Amino acid sequence: MSAAKPTSPATKNNGRRKSPWPKRIVVAAVALAVAGGAWTYYRQRNAEDAAGAYRTAKVERGDIRVAISATGALSAISTVDVGSQISGQVTDVLADYNDRVTKGQVIARIDPSTYEAQIAQGSAQVSNARAGLATAQATLRNAELDYQRKSELAKNQLVARSDADLARAARDQARAQLAGAEAQINQQIASTQTSRLNLQRTVIRAPVDGVVLTRSIEPGQTVAASLQSPVLFQIAEDLSKMEIVLAIDEADIGQVKPGQSVNFTVDSFPDRQFRGAVQQVRLSATNTSNVITYPVVVSVDNVDGVLLPGMTANAEIEVSRRDDVLRVSNAALRYKPADDAAGAGAANGPGGGARGGLSGDLPRVAQALKLDMNQQAAFDAALEQMKQRMAARTAAPTAAAPGGGGGAPIIIGGGRGPGGGGGGNNNRGNRSGGAVSGVARQRMQERFNQQFGSFRSLLNDAQRKQWDAEIANLVTARRVPLYKLVKGEPEQIVVRVGASDGSWTEVSGNIQEGDEIVVGSGRGTK
């Protein structure tokens, strides 16, 4: 049995020694994590501070409804005033307010005794005239016989020629008396017929089917129709169809067309919406205190009969409606940074300028035309040529004057815009300005016709009409600058604006749903 070897101190120390690197790596990782968190917090805080310097609103998708507000009174489409053609005392009133009457129904009577007496008197005069006629006939027969006898005797020279002439004159006088008696009979018959008509008119009948709106007579009242026909009843022909006459200002009448939808409310049913349609735009202007208005007739269905004549209607004529379009708050159109040069160069980027925006809209127009292969190929070729020409035009002024005014965006438009002119920004002068006149628009239209002439010649009549209308809309569309918040700073973009309802405005161009658009400066709620 051998003895155990003693363990040396050196061997014991080598077995217990540990490496210091794992601890160092852990410490370094913790330090890096803390530094990374601090840097991320710093960047987020700076971004939040930069973003908080501006009030923004997101680009949304939604509907824009443009309407013109006006008030008017409901009335029946056809209202008939029933009057009296004769004078006399009313004996019976057979219809009252709200009564439904049918055509020919007796609704009132006037005392007929006066006209019955006139008929009796006329009949007697006719009889007297007939008696006078019989006397004239007898006188004529005697005169003719006398003339025949004396004319024969005058031929045989048995009587003087003057006696024959006197007999002939007496015959002619008898003939005239007979004609006068016949005329007197006809006159008396006509007079009697007038009395008979007046007797019939003592019975007042409803001229149409309808509802009695007003009644202005009572039994025993005397009607005097010597100067003008008095109105006894007012009958609405059909209350299931009604109309509203709206007074539209001359500034808005150009947007109103027959067939447009109309929504209105009445005070009796404030929570109910009624619908109608524009039936007629009348040309008879009314001047009230130098305010020119035009009457617009709106047809309304009243099948349930809840609408009554005379109710005041608060109407809105829907002149334009855009569904599911990109829209921004009108405050974004009014915003202008203190330093107008901020982000100005961004408008020259892809799709930023007015003409670049047109090239971006053309494919959408072509897609709506449902082109065939040949038409699509012609369109693609024309579009590519247009882009090349625009790129050449854009590069030329930039190379000639770097950093100068050659790259300024072209803003088409002028006049009244959706952003309004509120505040001190002078929105109309600074932002839309009318930089491109009507002549320039016409030239742009001609250039489009030249560049896309071969493509346009391949379209059928319906496609060509739609293409021309869309191009005209694109050329004449108003373009304004907006300021999109990019990395905490406003960047200017030029967009095409469309319909506006006073709160939202349709936009298109280099803009997408969800983009943050600057609407004001300073901290505030987005």
Side-chain angles (χ1 to χ4, degrees), residues 73-424:
L74 281 159
S75 62
I77 293 179
S78 176
T79 302
V80 181
D81 293 334
V82 182
S84 174
Q85 295 177 279
I86 61 172
S87 302
Q89 187 178 36
V90 178
T91 58
D92 300 301
V93 177
L94 306 177
D96 202 356
Y97 293 94
N98 300 341
D99 285 352
R100 291 191 172 273
V101 295
T102 58
K103 184 177 181 179
Q105 178 181 338
V106 178
I107 56 179
R109 287 191 176 93
I110 297 175
D111 185 10
S113 57
T114 301
Y115 303 100
E116 290 174 348
Q118 290 178 357
I119 291 174
Q121 182 181 0
S123 299
Q125 290 175 347
V126 169
S127 299
N128 186 31
R130 292 185 187 279
L133 177 63
T135 302
Q137 289 173 344
T139 302
L140 176 60
R141 286 193 298 268
N142 184 42
E144 286 179 344
L145 291 173
D146 185 58
Y147 172 68
Q148 290 176 0
R149 285 192 301 269
K150 290 183 178 180
S151 62
E152 290 294 332
L153 292 174
K155 288 180 182 179
N156 296 328
Q157 297 182 351
L158 296 177
V159 295
R161 188 67 185 174
S162 60
D163 292 339
D165 292 340
L166 291 173
R168 183 174 62 183
R171 184 201 63 177
D172 293 341
Q173 290 177 356
R175 287 179 177 178
Q177 290 175 355
L178 179 62
E182 290 176 348
Q184 187 176 7
I185 291 176
N186 293 333
Q187 180 182 1
Q188 295 300 328
I189 291 175
S191 178
T192 305
Q193 183 64 25
T194 301
S195 298
R196 293 183 187 277
L197 289 175
N198 287 335
L199 179 62
Q200 294 177 1
R201 289 167 180 165
T202 60
V203 179
I204 309 299
R205 299 178 183 273
V208 294
D209 297 340
V211 179
V212 177
L213 298 182
T214 61
R215 173 177 64 84
S216 57
I217 56 171
E218 297 290 343
Q221 182 177 341
T222 300
V223 176
S226 58
L227 298 179
Q228 63 181 3
S229 176
V231 177
L232 309 181
F233 299 90
Q234 192 176 63
I235 300 177
E237 187 170 355
D238 184 10
L239 290 182
S240 64
K241 299 286 186 180
M242 303 187 72
E243 67 181 16
I244 311 171
V245 180
L246 303 175
I248 304 300
D249 189 85
E250 62 176 327
D252 300 322
I253 195 64
Q255 304 178 67
V256 181
K257 306 294 180 185
Q260 289 176 336
S261 177
V262 179
N263 296 326
F264 68 95
T265 60
V266 294
D267 294 340
S268 299
F269 305 97
D271 298 330
R272 180 173 176 181
Q273 284 279 344
F274 298 91
R275 296 186 62 83
V278 175
Q279 182 181 11
Q280 185 184 44
V281 179
R282 293 179 178 170
L283 306 179
S284 56
T286 302
N287 188 340
T288 305
S289 301
N290 292 329
V291 177
I292 306 299
T293 59
Y294 290 84
V296 173
V297 181
V298 177
S299 60
V300 178
D301 286 332
N302 187 31
V303 179
D304 52 2
V306 296
L307 298 175
L308 304 179
M311 285 184 172
T312 300
N314 303 308
E316 287 187 347
I317 302 176
E318 187 177 281
V319 298
S320 176
R321 185 180 182 88
R322 301 284 291 168
D323 295 330
D324 193 30
V325 296
L326 288 178
R327 63 182 189 176
V328 297
S329 172
N330 281 1
L333 302 177
R334 294 189 293 267
Y335 172 74
K336 183 180 179 182
D339 184 7
D340 198 24
N348 299 323
R355 299 182 183 180
L358 289 179
S359 64
D361 289 328
L362 290 177
R364 175 185 57 82
V365 176
Q367 184 178 5
L369 298 178
K370 299 179 179 179
L371 306 176
D372 57 28
M373 295 181 60
N374 294 332
Q375 294 171 338
Q376 187 66 46
F379 171 78
D380 293 339
L383 181 62
E384 184 62 28
Q385 292 178 2
M386 187 190 75
K387 289 181 178 180
Q388 293 175 0
R389 290 192 183 98
M390 288 195 319
R393 287 196 191 101
T394 304
T398 304
I410 299 176
I411 302 174
I412 302 176
R416 187 178 302 177

